[in-house]
Amino acid sequence: MIVFPNCKINLGLYITGKRADGFHDLETVFYPLPVTDALEVIAPGTLQFTGSGIPVPGDAADNLCLKAFQLLQQDFPQLQPVNIHLHKHIPIGAGLGGGSADAAFMLQLLNTKFQLELSQEQLINYAARLGSDCPFFIVNKPCYATGRGEIMEPVSLDLSGYSFLLVHPGIHVNTGWAFRQITPQAPVRALKETIQLPVSEWKEVISNDFEAPVFAAHPVLAAIKEMMYEGGAIYATMSGSGSAVVGIFPENKIADIRWDASYRVFKVS
C-alpha cells in the first residue's frame, strides 16, 4: 500500500508564550501543498525501515514512521510486522513538515490497512504524541492552529487561484536554537483576522517571528525572499522555522528567477 505525504507551509507564525512543559505557544495558519514524499508499507514483513531519495539523517530505528507503527502496536498488539519504505522528496529541516507528514500518513495507512476503525479525533491524539505538527496532517486542510500547533480549527482560505514557488537553499535551521532567539509576544493584529484580508495586503500585516533571527544568521534567506518580491510575488515568507522560503504569485505567473544550481526549487500551480 502506497500513500503520498504532502508538505505544509505556515502563513503567519507568532510565538505567543512559553509553557510550563518547556514548549511554546504559537499562532499560525497551516496550508497544505502538493509537494510529496512516497510511503510504502508491505505486510506481513519484518518491521524494518528503508529509505531512498533525500538521505534521512539519524538512526533508522528513530524514524517517525517506525515510531508511528510502534505507537499503534502498543494498543493494537495484533498488528503484523511491516516493511516500511520511504522515498524522501520533501526537503528536510525546511519548515515544510515533511517528517510530521510521513508520521501522520503512516498512522492513517495502518488504520486503513489493518481496519483499526480509528476516528479522526483518535488519529489526531496519536499524532500529537509523535510531534507538534503531526496532527495537522490528519486533517490536511487549511487550519488556524494554536497551542503547540495541535489545537486546530478550520479556516476559510482558498488559494487555488494562485501559484506557489518554494525555494530551499539547503540550509538547516535548528528549531531549538530558533525558538531560543524569540521573545514571545502576541501579534499586533490577530492572525484569524488578518488571514481573511486579500493576499495583496498580507505583506504589511502577516509575518513570521522566526524570520528576524534566522535571516540575521543566514542572510541568503532574506535575499531569496527579496528576489521573490522583485519577481512579482504577492506575498513571500519563510515557512516555519525555516529554511524554505515560499512565494505566492498570480496564477501561472511564477517569475523565471535564476536560482543557484544547488537550491531545490518547487513550483505549484
Side-chain angles (χ1 to χ4, degrees):
M1 187 172 185
I2 300 177
V3 293
F4 298 92
N6 59 274
C7 77
K8 59 81 180 168
I9 57 173
N10 294 82
L11 299 171
L13 178 53
Y14 304 109
I15 310 305
T16 59
K18 181 72 178 290
R19 300 155 54 110
D21 60 8
F23 290 96
H24 288 77
D25 284 316
L26 56 83
E27 180 182 10
T28 192
V29 169
F30 291 127
Y31 194 87
L33 286 180
V35 176
T36 69
D37 292 337
L39 175 64
E40 181 179 23
V41 165
I42 299 174
T46 56
L47 192 54
Q48 61 177 343
F49 174 86
T50 57
S52 58
I54 301 172
V56 178
D59 191 332
D62 294 325
N63 187 271
L64 282 174
C65 295
L66 192 57
K67 289 185 178 297
F69 176 87
Q70 293 166 336
L71 179 64
L72 285 185
Q73 193 180 45
Q74 292 173 13
D75 292 337
F76 299 93
Q78 73 271 25
L79 285 184
Q80 301 174 349
V82 297
N83 293 345
I84 306 166
H85 183 82
L86 175 67
H87 181 77
K88 195 70 185 157
H89 181 63
I90 302 171
I92 296 170
L96 298 175
S100 297
D102 297 334
F105 272 69
M106 183 69 179
L107 291 174
Q108 294 177 98
L109 185 157
L110 294 171
N111 186 43
T112 300
K113 189 173 186 66
F114 291 103
Q115 300 178 333
L116 303 180
E117 299 184 353
L118 294 168
S119 67
Q120 183 180 79
E121 182 179 358
Q122 289 173 307
L123 287 167
I124 287 172
N125 289 335
Y126 279 114
R129 294 164 63 182
L130 294 170
S132 297
D133 285 351
C134 292
F136 165 71
F137 292 100
I138 301 296
V139 179
N140 217 12
K141 295 179 180 178
C143 288
Y144 169 74
T146 54
R148 294 186 294 128
E150 84 285 7
I151 302 172
M152 297 174 292
E153 58 183 90
V155 61
S156 177
L157 182 61
D158 181 6
L159 299 178
S160 59
Y162 297 90
S163 293
F164 295 81
L165 176 64
L166 280 66
V167 177
H168 182 242
I171 293 169
H172 179 79
V173 177
N174 181 279
T175 302
W177 171 87
F179 271 105
R180 289 193 295 272
Q181 311 311 304
I182 303 294
T183 300
Q185 59 182 349
V188 175
R189 294 180 67 181
L191 183 58
K192 285 179 69 174
E193 172 190 342
T194 54
I195 201 68
Q196 298 300 329
L197 295 172
V199 178
S200 59
E201 298 182 25
W202 286 2
K203 182 178 180 181
E204 305 303 325
V205 295
I206 297 178
S207 59
N208 179 343
D209 283 347
F210 286 117
E211 283 193 357
V214 173
F215 284 4
H218 304 285
V220 67
L221 299 177
I224 291 171
K225 180 177 176 179
E226 184 58 32
M227 290 174 70
M228 287 187 178
Y229 276 127
E230 291 175 355
I234 303 169
Y235 178 70
T237 183
M238 187 176 72
S239 185
S241 59
S243 60
V245 180
V246 183
I248 301 178
F249 289 80
E251 189 172 18
N252 298 320
K253 292 185 178 179
I254 295 176
D256 188 17
I257 301 170
R258 186 164 303 200
W259 302 106
D260 186 288
S262 66
Y263 293 2
R264 298 199 68 208
V265 178
F266 305 88
K267 296 180 180 181
V268 179
S269 296

